[in-house]
């Protein structure tokens, strides 16, 4: 199974100088290739691919004003062109938007394949570097395993990270357990379990909001591009990074606990990109990190031999009575508790939804199909059904 472990590392002055030059060259090559492909299409209706942009890179290295491209390893530059090709492939397949130009303030990354680094005695020796970087080993790679790809990344807060990708031969499957659980995500409670337990939402952004607001106000008073502006920008970026790290750490602890305690985890398939278009809820949804929660559950379930079931997002889990199955017409978000008009059962909105998700998840597991009542079928599904009938 392919895995990647990420570590913080602290380069020396010489290493940082070389790595920053490498990131700058990667950014330049990527942006030039993107500009060349865009210009070729709009001016000549011609599509350039990886092979043609690679030939352009060879020509750029021969130019007098671009001789510095020869001072860094050629592998990250070629990998940048491959990443651009993947970005265009995703764009033409409808999975992503048109590629954007890379910006220096966002940091950047450089990917080294096996020909551009050496793994010796548990240390990484990058091309053009005489000494291995000082890596903070939070966990070691499995015995006898060597990384196939090394990625160096600089985040906007000025922190350096190294990611080691490898093929893990270990079998980490956990012992089977009986419990299954349904999860209902929310904002007041991050998730509600079908067992009735509610996990509070830490609201990491709100914890740092005052510090962030003060730092951003200080940044707005600085002249853009000045040295003081760059220092103030770095302070803002560090606060954002701290919020992100706190959120990820909490989600890692939560998802690991869920994976260990349950054999089957059932959750709704969420369209977070569409949900954040609501201006009133966008910040709260983004701060909750629902997308990251589902992502972690997916790969951890694969690692440890658990089952993750996603039910249809249009299933009325909150509106459906868990006792008799009656579906109410309307249930605003402000209503946290309600009584079923048919059987009179009293429901907590989130606990009832989690119980319904668990029940319908078992149906999905047995039948191998999604669950969507006819009255809640979307227009897209109706069109697909009509096409299949034809």
């Amino acid at each position: 199974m392919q895995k990647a472990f990420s570590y913080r590392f602290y380069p020396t002055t010489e290493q940082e100088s070389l790595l920053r030059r490498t990131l700058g060259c990667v950014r330049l090559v990527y942006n030039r290739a993107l500009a060349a492909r865009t210009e070729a299409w709009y001016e000549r209706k011609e599509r350039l691919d990886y092979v043609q942009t690679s030939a352009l890179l060879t020509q750029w290295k021969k130019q007098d004003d671009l001789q510095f491209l020869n001072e860094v390893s050629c592998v990250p530059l070629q990998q940048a062109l491959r990443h651009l090709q993947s970005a265009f492939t995703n764009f033409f397949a409808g999975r992503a938007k048109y590629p954007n130009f890379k910006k220096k303030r966002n940091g950047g990354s450089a990917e080294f394949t096996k020909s551009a680094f050496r793994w010796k005695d548990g240390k990484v020796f990058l091309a053009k570097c005489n000494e291995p970087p000082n890596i903070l080993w939070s966990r070691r790679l499995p015995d006898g395993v060597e990384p196939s790809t090394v990625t160096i990344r600089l985040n906007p807060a000025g922190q350096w990270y190294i990611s080691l990708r490898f093929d893990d031969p270990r079998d980490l499957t956990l012992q089977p357990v009986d419990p299954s659980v349904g999860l209902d995500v929310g904002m007041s409670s991050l998730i509600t379990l079908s067992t009735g337990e509610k996990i509070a939402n830490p609201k990491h952004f709100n914890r740092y909001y005052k510090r962030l607001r003060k730092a951003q106000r200080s940044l707005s008073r600085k002249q853009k591009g000045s040295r003081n502006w760059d220092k103030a920008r770095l302070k803002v970026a560090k606060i954002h990074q701290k919020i992100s790290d706190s959120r990820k750490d909490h989600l890692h602890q939560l998802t690991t606990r869920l994976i260990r305690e349950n054999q089957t985890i059932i959750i709704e398939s969420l369209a977070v990109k569409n949900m954040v278009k609501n201006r009133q809820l966008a910040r709260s949804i983004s701060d909750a990190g629902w997308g990251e929660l589902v992502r972690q559950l997916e790969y951890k379930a694969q690692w440890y031999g658990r089952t993750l079931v996603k039910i249809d997002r249009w299933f009325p889990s909150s509106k459906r009575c868990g006792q008799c199955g009656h579906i109410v017409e309307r249930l605003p978000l402000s209503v946290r508790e309600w009584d079923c008009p048919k059987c009179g059962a009293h429901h907590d909105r989130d606990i009832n939804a989690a119980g319904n998700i668990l029940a319908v998840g078992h149906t999905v597991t047995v039948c191998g199909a999604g669950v969507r009542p006819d009255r809640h079928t979307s227009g897209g599904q109706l069109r697909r059904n009509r096409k299949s009938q034809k």
Side-chain angles (χ1 to χ4, degrees), residues 259-312:
I259 289 293
R260 286 176 176 172
E261 295 179 353
N262 302 279
Q263 183 65 34
T264 304
I265 300 174
I266 305 164
I267 194 170
E268 291 177 304
S269 57
L270 303 172
V272 179
K273 288 185 179 180
N274 296 334
M275 299 171 73
V276 295
K277 293 179 181 178
N278 185 333
R279 294 185 177 181
Q280 296 179 343
L281 301 176
R283 194 176 81 178
S284 299
I285 292 174
S286 300
D287 189 32
W290 294 343
E292 178 66 14
L293 172 70
V294 176
R295 188 189 73 86
Q296 291 184 14
L297 286 174
E298 285 178 338
Y299 76 76
K300 288 181 181 181
Q302 185 181 7
W303 285 6
Y304 300 114
R306 299 307 198 206
T307 303
L308 179 67
V309 179
K310 292 183 181 180
I311 69 169
D312 196 289

Side-chain angles (χ1 to χ4, degrees), residues 9-248:
F9 78 98
Y10 300 89
T12 62
T13 303
E14 294 180 358
Q15 289 174 343
E16 184 171 4
S17 175
L18 175 61
L19 292 176
R20 284 186 178 273
R21 279 185 288 142
T22 302
L23 296 184
C25 292
V26 168
R27 183 172 59 251
L28 182 142
V29 169
Y30 184 95
N31 290 344
R32 278 195 168 232
L34 175 56
R37 295 181 69 148
T38 304
E39 180 182 356
W41 172 254
Y42 281 104
E43 292 189 359
R44 303 185 298 275
K45 298 298 179 181
E46 177 185 357
R47 283 191 180 181
L48 301 183
D49 56 12
Y50 164 74
V51 176
Q52 293 166 310
T53 52
S54 180
L56 288 176
L57 175 59
T58 303
Q59 297 177 8
W60 295 337
K61 287 184 175 182
K62 296 177 181 179
Q63 296 179 14
D64 294 336
D65 57 338
L66 296 178
Q67 284 299 308
F68 57 84
L69 292 177
N70 298 293
E71 299 176 1
V72 301
S73 174
C74 62
V75 173
L77 306 184
Q78 293 290 343
Q79 291 299 104
L81 298 181
R82 290 188 175 92
H83 294 163
L84 179 60
Q85 180 63 36
S86 299
F88 272 102
T89 301
N90 292 331
F91 168 70
F92 290 125
R95 295 188 295 266
K97 295 182 179 179
Y98 194 82
N100 292 324
F101 290 100
K102 293 183 179 294
K103 298 179 181 179
K104 183 178 180 180
R105 66 170 179 265
N106 293 337
S109 63
E111 187 176 87
F112 297 79
T113 56
K114 275 193 172 182
S115 60
F117 73 91
R118 184 164 50 94
W119 176 260
K120 183 179 180 181
D121 299 331
K123 296 181 180 179
V124 180
F125 294 83
L126 298 174
K128 305 285 186 177
C129 290
N130 297 325
E131 298 180 359
N134 182 21
I135 301 175
L136 187 63
W137 294 101
S138 55
R139 53 180 172 177
R140 290 285 177 175
L141 297 185
D143 295 336
V145 169
E146 294 187 5
S148 59
T149 304
V150 173
T151 302
I152 301 296
R153 180 170 58 88
L154 175 66
N155 65 19
Q159 299 169 344
W160 289 93
Y161 287 88
I162 183 170
S163 178
L164 308 179
R165 185 176 180 180
F166 61 95
D167 191 6
D168 192 353
R170 300 173 299 172
D171 183 10
L172 301 178
T173 304
L174 297 174
Q175 291 293 329
V177 293
D178 293 330
S180 299
V181 67
L183 306 181
D184 179 62
V185 299
M187 285 175 285
S188 56
S189 298
L190 180 59
I191 61 170
T192 302
L193 281 62
S194 54
T195 58
E197 180 184 0
K198 292 187 176 182
I199 308 296
N201 185 357
K203 297 183 179 179
H204 304 281
F205 185 86
N206 291 347
R207 286 170 50 198
Y208 295 94
Y209 177 71
K210 289 184 178 179
R211 289 174 55 186
L212 181 61
R213 184 179 178 184
K214 181 179 179 181
Q216 287 180 327
R217 284 164 61 183
S218 176
L219 175 63
S220 66
R221 291 193 290 265
K222 304 294 188 294
Q223 182 179 357
K224 190 172 183 179
S226 65
R227 181 61 179 167
N228 287 334
W229 176 86
D230 192 57
K231 292 179 181 178
R233 181 201 61 79
L234 194 61
K235 288 183 179 179
V236 173
K238 286 183 177 179
I239 297 175
H240 276 295
Q241 188 64 36
K242 195 168 188 64
I243 295 172
S244 177
D245 291 342
S246 301
R247 183 184 300 118
K248 279 190 176 182

Side-chain angles (χ1 to χ4, degrees), residues 360-389:
V360 78
H362 287 308
T363 305
V364 173
T365 305
V366 174
C367 301
V371 177
R372 182 200 295 255
D374 292 341
R375 61 178 295 183
H376 293 276
T377 302
S378 70
Q381 183 66 36
L382 285 173
R383 287 190 293 271
R384 288 193 290 272
N385 291 343
R386 293 193 190 105
K387 289 181 180 179
S388 62
Q389 291 173 4

